[in-house]
Structures are given as C-alpha cells and as structure tokens.
Amino acid sequence: SSHLGPGTSPSLAMSYLFLSLQAIAVARVAVGQVICASQHCASETADCMLETACRSIAACTVGCLGDIACEYLCSTEEVSPANVAMTRCLQEHHCLPRTKDTKTPDDFTGRIDKLATVAFSKEDLYGQWWVNYGLNVALDCVPCQSFAFSADPGNDSLYIVHQKFRSVKNRIWNYINFSSVFDAEDAGHGRMPDRYIQGGFRGHDVWYALGFSAQELLVAYVANSTWQTHGVFLLTKGPGHVVTNVDHWRSVLARNGIHWSNICHVDVTSADCDEVDSGLWI
C-alpha cells in the first residue's frame, strides 16, 4: 500500500480510522470497545493508519480472529511508535477487554500454592539468562530471548532487567527494560514480582523459581495484564546459551504438573542471537 504522509486528506484519514476501528472490532468482537476507541483514542488510531508499520500490524491482527497470542506476536514484527501509542491509549481508557488465556496448556494459575518453589538470594539472578525452553507460544517460544539482571544502584530492593528477543517472522530485535522487586520474604518462598510496559501494555508478572542448578534456572510465571496468562522459562547463563541438564528439568516440571510434551525448544544458537542492531523498544 502507498505511504500516507502529512498531506493526506481528512476524508481519507477518516476512512483509515474507520478501517482501524473495524479491525479492532474484528479482533476484539465487542462493539462497546470500538465505541470506546472512537471516543478516547481516535487521534492515536488515525496516526496508526497513517504509519505503514502500524497498518501492517493492524492487518496482521485482523487475521488473528481474536487470538491474543497471535495479536501479541503481530505487534513484535514491526518497529511502530504509533502502535505503541495507540495500544497505550486503548488500555489506559479501558477499551481493551481483560482476556483469560485458555489456550496455553498446563494451566497452573489455580494451584500456585501447589508449585514446589525454591528460595533464592538476590545475587542468584545476576547475569544474562537465555531462554532455552518454554510453555507459552507467544511469550516463551520467541527466538534469541534473554533477561539480564543487575543491581539497581539507586534502590537495594530492585533489579534492573533488560529483556530482548527477536520476532518470529522478520527477526527484528524487541527490547524491554523494566524493574523487578527483590523482597527477602518473597524470595524465601521462591517468588519475584515485576512490573513492565511492553508494546504499550502495562502489566505485572510473578515469577516462581522451581529450581536452580549450576548456571541454569527454571521458573513458572503468571502474567496479569489485559491478557491474563502463564508460562515457563528454562534459562541458562552458561557457555553457548545452551541448557545441558535437560533430564533433570523435565522431572522437575513433571513434579509440578507441567508436561514436557507441551514445552517448546527455543532458538538461542542462531548467529543473529549474538548480533546487536536496531529494534523496537517496547
């Protein structure tokens, strides 16, 4: 499609606004949400339709037919400030529904107290951890994903966390910076909460440490944003970014009611996982 610049006529801009709202309607299937978007975020939606990358994301999203994991992955494929701004506006004005994930398998969110967690110290998490295996197709199974934990020099109770991953199709870097809270009592029960802004969405997670072994870490997490979901990270900060103690972690997952047959094997060894280039800070 042709690029729409600042000289685009009001009528054409409104046509794209209508198409954008129509896309939201198809994706979210609720007229009330479309009305909310038109009342509170018309400018941001129009800006989205005037940006090539945002239009591409919108077109991708329509094809998801309401699948939130699919919509999330669409948003990672383009560098789009307009999409981030629109998403932030839609969430801030409660135009997006709160959706419970019913597709990610082995839902443990109703039995968190049954997870066999292990205590950890603040220093245990320092370093860069690469995700080798996961459960959630959108959040865990993307290539080249890592989390780098360091101390916050201004606050002893916080970690600074730098997360990055590549998108599945276009292989562009996505970067997220956020803080995680270290609380000695929580850590004694294997819990770590964090808050983040990702793709315009505000949300918070709780990580549950299921085990440490040498330079490897297994966590289960619950994510609470517009999309309420869950997942698993099996990570390493060892040589080559590769987990070596797979049989041990398979048994730990089994003890926690999570089936290895549902786990994805994540690409962390491709050459572009170690490349540094521009991407989308979301």
Side-chain angles (χ1 to χ4, degrees), residues 2 7 18 32 71 96 98 113 135 161 226 250 254 260-261 278:
S2 60
F18 172 77
E71 292 178 19
L96 300 178
R98 292 182 66 82
D113 59 334
L135 179 66
V161 186
T226 302
R250 183 187 290 116
W260 189 257
S261 59
S278 61

Side-chain angles (χ1 to χ4, degrees), residues 45-178:
T45 306
D47 288 344
C48 173
M49 289 299 99
L50 296 175
E51 183 194 85
T52 301
C54 198
R55 291 200 305 274
S56 176
I57 293 171
C60 178
T61 299
V62 171
C64 293
L65 301 177
D67 185 318
I68 304 298
C70 173
E71 292 178 19
Y72 168 78
L73 289 172
C74 287
S75 72
T76 69
E77 293 291 352
E78 302 285 350
V79 179
S80 174
N83 181 66
V84 172
M86 181 179 69
T87 301
R88 182 183 297 114
C89 181
L90 292 172
Q91 189 184 35
E92 287 177 351
H93 288 92
H94 308 289
C95 297
L96 300 178
R98 292 182 66 82
T99 304
K100 178 71 171 70
D101 181 3
T102 59
K103 293 189 175 183
T104 300
D106 291 328
D107 186 356
F108 49 79
T109 58
R111 52 179 181 85
I112 291 297
D113 59 334
K114 303 296 184 184
L115 294 178
T117 57
V118 298
F120 61 91
S121 69
K122 187 177 182 183
E123 292 74 18
D124 285 336
L125 289 182
Y126 289 160
Q128 185 172 15
W129 298 87
W130 292 84
V131 178
N132 275 221
Y133 297 88
L135 179 66
N136 187 303
V137 66
L139 302 182
D140 309 349
C141 302
V142 291
C144 306
Q145 180 160 215
S146 69
F147 295 83
F149 286 81
S150 59
D152 185 332
N155 190 329
D156 287 341
S157 66
L158 293 178
Y159 295 103
I160 294 174
V161 186
H162 299 292
Q163 178 188 0
K164 67 176 183 177
F165 60 90
R166 285 196 179 273
S167 63
V168 175
K169 180 180 177 182
N170 293 334
R171 302 287 290 202
I172 67 168
W173 279 117
N174 287 247
Y175 303 102
I176 308 101
N177 294 328
F178 60 95

